Amino acid sequence: MTSSELWTRATADRYDAEEAEMSSATVLEPTLTFLAELAGDGRALEFAIGTGRVGVPLRKRGVPVAGIELSEHMAAVLRHKIDEDTLPVAIGDMATTVVPGEFTLVYLVYNTITNLLSQDEQVECFRNAARHLAPGGRFVIELGVPPLRYLPPGQVAVPFDVSDRHLGFDTFDLVEQILVSHHFTRDGADGRYRRENSRHRYAWPAELDLMARIAGLELDRRVADWDGAPFTQDSAKHISVWRKPN
């Protein structure tokens, strides 16, 4: 198993409720359109498919989808939504697990490549994507740009959400390229907060391009969001597409 932290049953059971906004039709429509166009008439493979936030509606659009998921608990939630024959899921890590067949699209969304906590594992993830792609197929990653510009000298934390229900901030180890996301979430009516944190290895777009070259992939395009806005130095995230040569 890779260094990814394993999602627990409790986290999996509340994941969909906590990510309801990200699962809304308004948010998902551009994502699904982008991915469906790249998949074309072929098959799509989602790395770290989780509870199926993207994979299930993409399959309902008519794109044959398969998934790889490290957490059996997350996959169990997905299985309540769709059966194995319609959307098969292999339990394993996205850096080494192999599923049968070739795909025109492999995709990895919502910053999840950062769950791999070493550069070597992230490189293996690219190699695994290339392994599954048919010639001409594409690998897509959605990833935030590390917000280090918000760090003045001596500061180690950057807030990313401040609301009545949730407080979130990231702390950074700039040497190891590790960030820890800290979450304080209000549960119930008693006002108590649940504290959680998760470790991630952040990477810059140029570093990902080098990983892609190591895996035999070439950059096809990079945009700032699923609607295709231009990627600039002020973009908070990127959608990057690499192509496997024919």
Side-chain angles (χ1 to χ4, degrees):
M1 191 175 80
T2 66
S3 60
S4 296
E5 296 177 350
L6 196 59
W7 292 66
T8 65
R9 180 184 299 276
T11 303
D13 287 346
R14 61 175 176 259
Y15 182 83
D16 284 349
E18 292 184 345
E19 297 294 339
E21 181 179 353
M22 293 299 297
S23 301
S24 67
T26 301
V27 172
L28 278 180
E29 180 61 29
T31 306
L32 299 175
T33 299
F34 191 105
L35 295 175
E37 288 177 355
L38 287 180
D41 296 328
R43 303 167 65 212
L45 174 63
E46 181 170 357
F47 284 178
I49 194 170
T51 65
R53 181 183 68 91
V54 175
V56 171
L58 186 62
R59 180 65 185 90
K60 290 180 178 178
R61 281 201 173 200
V63 178
V65 177
I68 295 173
E69 173 54 42
L70 183 61
S71 169
E72 293 185 21
H73 302 302
M74 295 288 277
V77 175
L78 178 150
R79 197 50 67 216
H80 290 304
K81 305 173 185 178
I82 194 166
D83 63 82
E84 175 72 17
D85 290 338
T86 305
L87 200 166
V89 174
I91 301 299
D93 70 81
M94 58 187 168
T96 63
T97 301
V98 177
V99 300
E102 284 189 328
F103 298 83
T104 57
L105 172 66
V106 178
Y107 65 95
L108 178 54
V109 298
Y110 212 17
N111 302 319
T112 312
I113 193 170
T114 67
N115 289 2
L116 299 170
L117 299 179
S118 74
Q119 186 182 69
D120 285 345
E121 289 177 352
Q122 291 177 353
V123 169
E124 288 306 312
C125 181
F126 273 83
R127 284 178 167 153
N128 201 29
R131 183 180 298 123
H132 286 91
L133 285 172
R138 289 171 171 84
F139 182 35
V140 176
I141 284 182
E142 176 189 23
L143 184 60
V145 176
L148 301 188
R149 294 168 67 187
Y150 294 106
L151 281 175
Q155 181 174 312
V156 296
V158 173
F160 60 84
D161 185 36
V162 179
S163 62
D164 290 339
R165 185 174 175 274
H166 177 256
L167 302 175
F169 61 92
D170 292 329
T171 54
F172 294 85
D173 179 334
L174 302 183
V175 175
E176 298 296 331
Q177 286 185 216
I178 295 293
L179 71 84
V180 180
S181 287
H182 304 264
H183 301 266
F184 295 83
T185 306
R186 190 192 299 272
D187 277 336
D190 59 5
R192 295 184 180 181
Y193 279 84
R194 181 180 73 253
R195 179 177 182 177
E196 298 173 302
N197 60 68
S198 58
R199 299 173 69 232
H200 306 268
R201 183 188 186 273
Y202 63 85
W204 301 94
E207 185 181 5
L208 298 182
D209 289 343
L210 184 55
M211 294 181 189
R213 288 175 59 190
I214 292 171
L217 305 176
E218 55 193 29
L219 182 65
D220 184 74
R221 59 176 147 152
R222 174 170 291 124
V223 292
D225 57 34
W226 294 108
D227 289 313
F231 179 73
T232 72
Q233 64 179 1
D234 296 320
S235 298
K237 75 171 186 178
H238 60 98
I239 312 299
S240 294
V241 183
W242 297 274
R243 181 179 177 275
K244 184 174 182 176
N246 291 325

PDB file of all heavy atoms in Angstrom, residues 138-170:
ATOM      1  N   ARG A 138      -5.852  10.079 -22.755  1.00  0.00           N
ATOM      2  CA  ARG A 138      -5.457  11.239 -21.954  1.00  0.00           C
ATOM      3  C   ARG A 138      -5.610  10.988 -20.455  1.00  0.00           C
ATOM      4  O   ARG A 138      -6.519  10.281 -20.024  1.00  0.00           O
ATOM      5  CB  ARG A 138      -6.271  12.453 -22.376  1.00  0.00           C
ATOM      6  CG  ARG A 138      -5.884  12.977 -23.765  1.00  0.00           C
ATOM      7  CD  ARG A 138      -6.837  14.031 -24.274  1.00  0.00           C
ATOM      8  NE  ARG A 138      -6.339  14.653 -25.495  1.00  0.00           N
ATOM      9  CZ  ARG A 138      -6.507  14.152 -26.712  1.00  0.00           C
ATOM     10  NH1 ARG A 138      -7.146  12.998 -26.868  1.00  0.00           N
ATOM     11  NH2 ARG A 138      -6.040  14.785 -27.765  1.00  0.00           N
ATOM     12  N   PHE A 139      -4.706  11.613 -19.718  1.00  0.00           N
ATOM     13  CA  PHE A 139      -4.712  11.579 -18.260  1.00  0.00           C
ATOM     14  C   PHE A 139      -5.022  12.989 -17.769  1.00  0.00           C
ATOM     15  O   PHE A 139      -4.364  13.956 -18.172  1.00  0.00           O
ATOM     16  CB  PHE A 139      -3.345  11.127 -17.748  1.00  0.00           C
ATOM     17  CG  PHE A 139      -3.222  11.013 -16.250  1.00  0.00           C
ATOM     18  CD1 PHE A 139      -4.291  10.595 -15.453  1.00  0.00           C
ATOM     19  CD2 PHE A 139      -2.016  11.311 -15.622  1.00  0.00           C
ATOM     20  CE1 PHE A 139      -4.173  10.482 -14.076  1.00  0.00           C
ATOM     21  CE2 PHE A 139      -1.887  11.196 -14.246  1.00  0.00           C
ATOM     22  CZ  PHE A 139      -2.960  10.790 -13.479  1.00  0.00           C
ATOM     23  N   VAL A 140      -6.015  13.111 -16.893  1.00  0.00           N
ATOM     24  CA  VAL A 140      -6.483  14.411 -16.401  1.00  0.00           C
ATOM     25  C   VAL A 140      -6.304  14.486 -14.890  1.00  0.00           C
ATOM     26  O   VAL A 140      -6.677  13.548 -14.168  1.00  0.00           O
ATOM     27  CB  VAL A 140      -7.973  14.636 -16.751  1.00  0.00           C
ATOM     28  CG1 VAL A 140      -8.475  15.946 -16.145  1.00  0.00           C
ATOM     29  CG2 VAL A 140      -8.167  14.646 -18.262  1.00  0.00           C
ATOM     30  N   ILE A 141      -5.753  15.591 -14.431  1.00  0.00           N
ATOM     31  CA  ILE A 141      -5.627  15.850 -12.997  1.00  0.00           C
ATOM     32  C   ILE A 141      -6.221  17.219 -12.683  1.00  0.00           C
ATOM     33  O   ILE A 141      -5.962  18.196 -13.396  1.00  0.00           O
ATOM     34  CB  ILE A 141      -4.152  15.793 -12.540  1.00  0.00           C
ATOM     35  CG1 ILE A 141      -3.671  14.346 -12.451  1.00  0.00           C
ATOM     36  CG2 ILE A 141      -3.956  16.492 -11.196  1.00  0.00           C
ATOM     37  CD1 ILE A 141      -2.243  14.186 -11.965  1.00  0.00           C
ATOM     38  N   GLU A 142      -7.019  17.288 -11.617  1.00  0.00           N
ATOM     39  CA  GLU A 142      -7.501  18.548 -11.055  1.00  0.00           C
ATOM     40  C   GLU A 142      -6.731  18.793  -9.761  1.00  0.00           C
ATOM     41  O   GLU A 142      -6.739  17.961  -8.856  1.00  0.00           O
ATOM     42  CB  GLU A 142      -9.001  18.461 -10.749  1.00  0.00           C
ATOM     43  CG  GLU A 142      -9.549  19.704 -10.065  1.00  0.00           C
ATOM     44  CD  GLU A 142     -10.984  19.515  -9.582  1.00  0.00           C
ATOM     45  OE1 GLU A 142     -11.391  18.348  -9.384  1.00  0.00           O
ATOM     46  OE2 GLU A 142     -11.683  20.527  -9.408  1.00  0.00           O
ATOM     47  N   LEU A 143      -6.058  19.948  -9.676  1.00  0.00           N
ATOM     48  CA  LEU A 143      -5.186  20.176  -8.526  1.00  0.00           C
ATOM     49  C   LEU A 143      -5.058  21.667  -8.233  1.00  0.00           C
ATOM     50  O   LEU A 143      -4.908  22.485  -9.145  1.00  0.00           O
ATOM     51  CB  LEU A 143      -3.796  19.591  -8.808  1.00  0.00           C
ATOM     52  CG  LEU A 143      -2.759  19.659  -7.679  1.00  0.00           C
ATOM     53  CD1 LEU A 143      -3.255  18.918  -6.449  1.00  0.00           C
ATOM     54  CD2 LEU A 143      -1.429  19.107  -8.150  1.00  0.00           C
ATOM     55  N   GLY A 144      -5.091  22.007  -6.960  1.00  0.00           N
ATOM     56  CA  GLY A 144      -4.879  23.379  -6.553  1.00  0.00           C
ATOM     57  C   GLY A 144      -3.428  23.782  -6.682  1.00  0.00           C
ATOM     58  O   GLY A 144      -2.511  22.958  -6.565  1.00  0.00           O
ATOM     59  N   VAL A 145      -3.215  25.065  -6.954  1.00  0.00           N
ATOM     60  CA  VAL A 145      -1.862  25.618  -6.967  1.00  0.00           C
ATOM     61  C   VAL A 145      -1.465  25.896  -5.518  1.00  0.00           C
ATOM     62  O   VAL A 145      -2.226  26.527  -4.773  1.00  0.00           O
ATOM     63  CB  VAL A 145      -1.806  26.916  -7.787  1.00  0.00           C
ATOM     64  CG1 VAL A 145      -0.422  27.543  -7.715  1.00  0.00           C
ATOM     65  CG2 VAL A 145      -2.203  26.646  -9.234  1.00  0.00           C
ATOM     66  N   PRO A 146      -0.312  25.413  -5.054  1.00  0.00           N
ATOM     67  CA  PRO A 146       0.082  25.650  -3.660  1.00  0.00           C
ATOM     68  C   PRO A 146       0.015  27.144  -3.315  1.00  0.00           C
ATOM     69  O   PRO A 146       0.627  27.961  -4.007  1.00  0.00           O
ATOM     70  CB  PRO A 146       1.516  25.117  -3.596  1.00  0.00           C
ATOM     71  CG  PRO A 146       1.580  24.095  -4.689  1.00  0.00           C
ATOM     72  CD  PRO A 146       0.701  24.617  -5.781  1.00  0.00           C
ATOM     73  N   PRO A 147      -0.712  27.508  -2.260  1.00  0.00           N
ATOM     74  CA  PRO A 147      -0.946  28.934  -1.967  1.00  0.00           C
ATOM     75  C   PRO A 147       0.190  29.577  -1.171  1.00  0.00           C
ATOM     76  O   PRO A 147      -0.038  30.320  -0.206  1.00  0.00           O
ATOM     77  CB  PRO A 147      -2.243  28.879  -1.139  1.00  0.00           C
ATOM     78  CG  PRO A 147      -2.136  27.595  -0.392  1.00  0.00           C
ATOM     79  CD  PRO A 147      -1.448  26.621  -1.335  1.00  0.00           C
ATOM     80  N   LEU A 148       1.415  29.308  -1.579  1.00  0.00           N
ATOM     81  CA  LEU A 148       2.556  29.800  -0.807  1.00  0.00           C
ATOM     82  C   LEU A 148       2.724  31.314  -0.911  1.00  0.00           C
ATOM     83  O   LEU A 148       3.396  31.922  -0.070  1.00  0.00           O
ATOM     84  CB  LEU A 148       3.837  29.098  -1.258  1.00  0.00           C
ATOM     85  CG  LEU A 148       3.849  27.567  -1.135  1.00  0.00           C
ATOM     86  CD1 LEU A 148       5.244  27.037  -1.419  1.00  0.00           C
ATOM     87  CD2 LEU A 148       3.376  27.122   0.239  1.00  0.00           C
ATOM     88  N   ARG A 149       2.121  31.930  -1.918  1.00  0.00           N
ATOM     89  CA  ARG A 149       2.195  33.385  -2.031  1.00  0.00           C
ATOM     90  C   ARG A 149       1.479  34.075  -0.866  1.00  0.00           C
ATOM     91  O   ARG A 149       1.716  35.253  -0.608  1.00  0.00           O
ATOM     92  CB  ARG A 149       1.576  33.839  -3.356  1.00  0.00           C
ATOM     93  CG  ARG A 149       2.364  33.382  -4.578  1.00  0.00           C
ATOM     94  CD  ARG A 149       1.594  33.585  -5.858  1.00  0.00           C
ATOM     95  NE  ARG A 149       1.404  35.001  -6.140  1.00  0.00           N
ATOM     96  CZ  ARG A 149       0.638  35.449  -7.149  1.00  0.00           C
ATOM     97  NH1 ARG A 149       0.004  34.593  -7.927  1.00  0.00           N
ATOM     98  NH2 ARG A 149       0.515  36.743  -7.353  1.00  0.00           N
ATOM     99  N   TYR A 150       0.610  33.342  -0.184  1.00  0.00           N
ATOM    100  CA  TYR A 150      -0.109  33.916   0.959  1.00  0.00           C
ATOM    101  C   TYR A 150       0.695  33.832   2.254  1.00  0.00           C
ATOM    102  O   TYR A 150       0.236  34.288   3.306  1.00  0.00           O
ATOM    103  CB  TYR A 150      -1.447  33.212   1.155  1.00  0.00           C
ATOM    104  CG  TYR A 150      -2.419  33.425   0.024  1.00  0.00           C
ATOM    105  CD1 TYR A 150      -2.685  32.405  -0.885  1.00  0.00           C
ATOM    106  CD2 TYR A 150      -3.061  34.643  -0.148  1.00  0.00           C
ATOM    107  CE1 TYR A 150      -3.572  32.598  -1.938  1.00  0.00           C
ATOM    108  CE2 TYR A 150      -3.949  34.846  -1.197  1.00  0.00           C
ATOM    109  CZ  TYR A 150      -4.197  33.822  -2.088  1.00  0.00           C
ATOM    110  OH  TYR A 150      -5.072  34.014  -3.130  1.00  0.00           O
ATOM    111  N   LEU A 151       1.870  33.221   2.191  1.00  0.00           N
ATOM    112  CA  LEU A 151       2.677  33.040   3.392  1.00  0.00           C
ATOM    113  C   LEU A 151       3.709  34.164   3.524  1.00  0.00           C
ATOM    114  O   LEU A 151       4.719  34.175   2.812  1.00  0.00           O
ATOM    115  CB  LEU A 151       3.421  31.695   3.338  1.00  0.00           C
ATOM    116  CG  LEU A 151       2.649  30.428   3.670  1.00  0.00           C
ATOM    117  CD1 LEU A 151       3.541  29.212   3.445  1.00  0.00           C
ATOM    118  CD2 LEU A 151       2.145  30.439   5.097  1.00  0.00           C
ATOM    119  N   PRO A 152       3.497  35.119   4.433  1.00  0.00           N
ATOM    120  CA  PRO A 152       4.546  36.098   4.694  1.00  0.00           C
ATOM    121  C   PRO A 152       5.668  35.443   5.498  1.00  0.00           C
ATOM    122  O   PRO A 152       5.482  34.359   6.067  1.00  0.00           O
ATOM    123  CB  PRO A 152       3.829  37.177   5.517  1.00  0.00           C
ATOM    124  CG  PRO A 152       2.703  36.466   6.182  1.00  0.00           C
ATOM    125  CD  PRO A 152       2.294  35.373   5.234  1.00  0.00           C
ATOM    126  N   PRO A 153       6.835  36.061   5.566  1.00  0.00           N
ATOM    127  CA  PRO A 153       7.947  35.476   6.324  1.00  0.00           C
ATOM    128  C   PRO A 153       7.543  35.151   7.760  1.00  0.00           C
ATOM    129  O   PRO A 153       6.949  35.970   8.457  1.00  0.00           O
ATOM    130  CB  PRO A 153       9.014  36.576   6.277  1.00  0.00           C
ATOM    131  CG  PRO A 153       8.724  37.323   5.027  1.00  0.00           C
ATOM    132  CD  PRO A 153       7.233  37.319   4.896  1.00  0.00           C
ATOM    133  N   GLY A 154       7.849  33.922   8.179  1.00  0.00           N
ATOM    134  CA  GLY A 154       7.555  33.501   9.541  1.00  0.00           C
ATOM    135  C   GLY A 154       6.194  32.875   9.738  1.00  0.00           C
ATOM    136  O   GLY A 154       5.933  32.290  10.788  1.00  0.00           O
ATOM    137  N   GLN A 155       5.309  32.972   8.736  1.00  0.00           N
ATOM    138  CA  GLN A 155       3.969  32.380   8.870  1.00  0.00           C
ATOM    139  C   GLN A 155       3.963  30.992   8.256  1.00  0.00           C
ATOM    140  O   GLN A 155       4.560  30.777   7.204  1.00  0.00           O
ATOM    141  CB  GLN A 155       2.919  33.254   8.192  1.00  0.00           C
ATOM    142  CG  GLN A 155       1.494  32.714   8.302  1.00  0.00           C
ATOM    143  CD  GLN A 155       0.469  33.699   7.747  1.00  0.00           C
ATOM    144  OE1 GLN A 155       0.496  34.878   8.074  1.00  0.00           O
ATOM    145  NE2 GLN A 155      -0.418  33.216   6.899  1.00  0.00           N
ATOM    146  N   VAL A 156       3.277  30.042   8.901  1.00  0.00           N
ATOM    147  CA  VAL A 156       3.264  28.664   8.405  1.00  0.00           C
ATOM    148  C   VAL A 156       1.866  28.177   8.069  1.00  0.00           C
ATOM    149  O   VAL A 156       1.697  27.052   7.619  1.00  0.00           O
ATOM    150  CB  VAL A 156       3.896  27.693   9.432  1.00  0.00           C
ATOM    151  CG1 VAL A 156       5.366  28.016   9.643  1.00  0.00           C
ATOM    152  CG2 VAL A 156       3.135  27.721  10.751  1.00  0.00           C
ATOM    153  N   ALA A 157       0.824  29.005   8.281  1.00  0.00           N
ATOM    154  CA  ALA A 157      -0.547  28.565   8.074  1.00  0.00           C
ATOM    155  C   ALA A 157      -1.298  29.501   7.135  1.00  0.00           C
ATOM    156  O   ALA A 157      -1.088  30.714   7.150  1.00  0.00           O
ATOM    157  CB  ALA A 157      -1.293  28.472   9.405  1.00  0.00           C
ATOM    158  N   VAL A 158      -2.178  28.911   6.301  1.00  0.00           N
ATOM    159  CA  VAL A 158      -3.030  29.671   5.397  1.00  0.00           C
ATOM    160  C   VAL A 158      -4.469  29.193   5.576  1.00  0.00           C
ATOM    161  O   VAL A 158      -4.740  27.994   5.393  1.00  0.00           O
ATOM    162  CB  VAL A 158      -2.605  29.477   3.925  1.00  0.00           C
ATOM    163  CG1 VAL A 158      -3.611  30.130   2.986  1.00  0.00           C
ATOM    164  CG2 VAL A 158      -1.220  30.034   3.690  1.00  0.00           C
ATOM    165  N   PRO A 159      -5.419  30.079   5.937  1.00  0.00           N
ATOM    166  CA  PRO A 159      -6.818  29.656   6.045  1.00  0.00           C
ATOM    167  C   PRO A 159      -7.419  29.463   4.656  1.00  0.00           C
ATOM    168  O   PRO A 159      -7.110  30.200   3.722  1.00  0.00           O
ATOM    169  CB  PRO A 159      -7.485  30.833   6.771  1.00  0.00           C
ATOM    170  CG  PRO A 159      -6.628  32.002   6.454  1.00  0.00           C
ATOM    171  CD  PRO A 159      -5.227  31.484   6.315  1.00  0.00           C
ATOM    172  N   PHE A 160      -8.276  28.440   4.510  1.00  0.00           N
ATOM    173  CA  PHE A 160      -8.961  28.245   3.237  1.00  0.00           C
ATOM    174  C   PHE A 160     -10.478  28.235   3.391  1.00  0.00           C
ATOM    175  O   PHE A 160     -11.201  28.291   2.406  1.00  0.00           O
ATOM    176  CB  PHE A 160      -8.493  26.960   2.536  1.00  0.00           C
ATOM    177  CG  PHE A 160      -8.711  25.686   3.317  1.00  0.00           C
ATOM    178  CD1 PHE A 160      -9.926  25.025   3.296  1.00  0.00           C
ATOM    179  CD2 PHE A 160      -7.672  25.135   4.057  1.00  0.00           C
ATOM    180  CE1 PHE A 160     -10.112  23.843   3.998  1.00  0.00           C
ATOM    181  CE2 PHE A 160      -7.849  23.963   4.767  1.00  0.00           C
ATOM    182  CZ  PHE A 160      -9.078  23.315   4.746  1.00  0.00           C
ATOM    183  N   ASP A 161     -10.978  28.180   4.615  1.00  0.00           N
ATOM    184  CA  ASP A 161     -12.424  28.264   4.830  1.00  0.00           C
ATOM    185  C   ASP A 161     -12.684  28.771   6.239  1.00  0.00           C
ATOM    186  O   ASP A 161     -12.149  28.228   7.210  1.00  0.00           O
ATOM    187  CB  ASP A 161     -13.089  26.897   4.634  1.00  0.00           C
ATOM    188  CG  ASP A 161     -14.610  26.981   4.728  1.00  0.00           C
ATOM    189  OD1 ASP A 161     -15.175  27.989   4.278  1.00  0.00           O
ATOM    190  OD2 ASP A 161     -15.223  26.034   5.247  1.00  0.00           O
ATOM    191  N   VAL A 162     -13.487  29.823   6.345  1.00  0.00           N
ATOM    192  CA  VAL A 162     -13.906  30.354   7.640  1.00  0.00           C
ATOM    193  C   VAL A 162     -15.405  30.600   7.550  1.00  0.00           C
ATOM    194  O   VAL A 162     -15.867  31.539   6.901  1.00  0.00           O
ATOM    195  CB  VAL A 162     -13.171  31.672   7.988  1.00  0.00           C
ATOM    196  CG1 VAL A 162     -13.656  32.204   9.337  1.00  0.00           C
ATOM    197  CG2 VAL A 162     -11.662  31.462   8.021  1.00  0.00           C
ATOM    198  N   SER A 163     -16.177  29.720   8.171  1.00  0.00           N
ATOM    199  CA  SER A 163     -17.628  29.832   8.132  1.00  0.00           C
ATOM    200  C   SER A 163     -18.192  29.417   9.481  1.00  0.00           C
ATOM    201  O   SER A 163     -17.467  28.980  10.376  1.00  0.00           O
ATOM    202  CB  SER A 163     -18.210  28.945   7.024  1.00  0.00           C
ATOM    203  OG  SER A 163     -17.921  27.572   7.267  1.00  0.00           O
ATOM    204  N   ASP A 164     -19.517  29.562   9.634  1.00  0.00           N
ATOM    205  CA  ASP A 164     -20.142  29.225  10.906  1.00  0.00           C
ATOM    206  C   ASP A 164     -19.979  27.749  11.240  1.00  0.00           C
ATOM    207  O   ASP A 164     -19.875  27.380  12.416  1.00  0.00           O
ATOM    208  CB  ASP A 164     -21.633  29.580  10.877  1.00  0.00           C
ATOM    209  CG  ASP A 164     -21.871  31.079  10.877  1.00  0.00           C
ATOM    210  OD1 ASP A 164     -20.956  31.811  11.284  1.00  0.00           O
ATOM    211  OD2 ASP A 164     -22.964  31.501  10.449  1.00  0.00           O
ATOM    212  N   ARG A 165     -19.940  26.900  10.208  1.00  0.00           N
ATOM    213  CA  ARG A 165     -19.913  25.458  10.448  1.00  0.00           C
ATOM    214  C   ARG A 165     -18.510  24.869  10.387  1.00  0.00           C
ATOM    215  O   ARG A 165     -18.242  23.822  10.964  1.00  0.00           O
ATOM    216  CB  ARG A 165     -20.809  24.751   9.424  1.00  0.00           C
ATOM    217  CG  ARG A 165     -20.933  23.246   9.663  1.00  0.00           C
ATOM    218  CD  ARG A 165     -21.923  22.598   8.723  1.00  0.00           C
ATOM    219  NE  ARG A 165     -21.912  21.162   8.904  1.00  0.00           N
ATOM    220  CZ  ARG A 165     -21.069  20.336   8.291  1.00  0.00           C
ATOM    221  NH1 ARG A 165     -20.153  20.813   7.454  1.00  0.00           N
ATOM    222  NH2 ARG A 165     -21.112  19.030   8.504  1.00  0.00           N
ATOM    223  N   HIS A 166     -17.595  25.562   9.730  1.00  0.00           N
ATOM    224  CA  HIS A 166     -16.304  24.932   9.456  1.00  0.00           C
ATOM    225  C   HIS A 166     -15.186  25.967   9.453  1.00  0.00           C
ATOM    226  O   HIS A 166     -15.328  27.060   8.905  1.00  0.00           O
ATOM    227  CB  HIS A 166     -16.358  24.228   8.090  1.00  0.00           C
ATOM    228  CG  HIS A 166     -15.065  23.598   7.677  1.00  0.00           C
ATOM    229  ND1 HIS A 166     -14.227  24.159   6.731  1.00  0.00           N
ATOM    230  CD2 HIS A 166     -14.457  22.453   8.079  1.00  0.00           C
ATOM    231  CE1 HIS A 166     -13.171  23.389   6.551  1.00  0.00           C
ATOM    232  NE2 HIS A 166     -13.287  22.348   7.354  1.00  0.00           N
ATOM    233  N   LEU A 167     -14.082  25.606  10.092  1.00  0.00           N
ATOM    234  CA  LEU A 167     -12.846  26.370  10.026  1.00  0.00           C
ATOM    235  C   LEU A 167     -11.778  25.464   9.430  1.00  0.00           C
ATOM    236  O   LEU A 167     -11.573  24.344   9.909  1.00  0.00           O
ATOM    237  CB  LEU A 167     -12.405  26.833  11.414  1.00  0.00           C
ATOM    238  CG  LEU A 167     -13.379  27.706  12.212  1.00  0.00           C
ATOM    239  CD1 LEU A 167     -12.824  27.955  13.616  1.00  0.00           C
ATOM    240  CD2 LEU A 167     -13.618  29.029  11.502  1.00  0.00           C
ATOM    241  N   GLY A 168     -11.108  25.935   8.386  1.00  0.00           N
ATOM    242  CA  GLY A 168     -10.082  25.122   7.750  1.00  0.00           C
ATOM    243  C   GLY A 168      -8.843  25.930   7.443  1.00  0.00           C
ATOM    244  O   GLY A 168      -8.941  27.079   6.992  1.00  0.00           O
ATOM    245  N   PHE A 169      -7.681  25.361   7.723  1.00  0.00           N
ATOM    246  CA  PHE A 169      -6.428  26.014   7.352  1.00  0.00           C
ATOM    247  C   PHE A 169      -5.364  24.961   7.089  1.00  0.00           C
ATOM    248  O   PHE A 169      -5.428  23.832   7.593  1.00  0.00           O
ATOM    249  CB  PHE A 169      -5.973  27.013   8.422  1.00  0.00           C
ATOM    250  CG  PHE A 169      -5.700  26.415   9.781  1.00  0.00           C
ATOM    251  CD1 PHE A 169      -4.431  25.979  10.129  1.00  0.00           C
ATOM    252  CD2 PHE A 169      -6.722  26.302  10.714  1.00  0.00           C
ATOM    253  CE1 PHE A 169      -4.180  25.438  11.376  1.00  0.00           C
ATOM    254  CE2 PHE A 169      -6.477  25.747  11.968  1.00  0.00           C
ATOM    255  CZ  PHE A 169      -5.210  25.322  12.306  1.00  0.00           C
ATOM    256  N   ASP A 170      -4.403  25.349   6.253  1.00  0.00           N
ATOM    257  CA  ASP A 170      -3.301  24.469   5.891  1.00  0.00           C
ATOM    258  C   ASP A 170      -2.017  24.964   6.538  1.00  0.00           C
ATOM    259  O   ASP A 170      -1.752  26.172   6.572  1.00  0.00           O
ATOM    260  CB  ASP A 170      -3.093  24.444   4.374  1.00  0.00           C
ATOM    261  CG  ASP A 170      -4.234  23.785   3.624  1.00  0.00           C
ATOM    262  OD1 ASP A 170      -4.863  22.876   4.199  1.00  0.00           O
ATOM    263  OD2 ASP A 170      -4.481  24.171   2.463  1.00  0.00           O
TER     264      ASP A 170
END
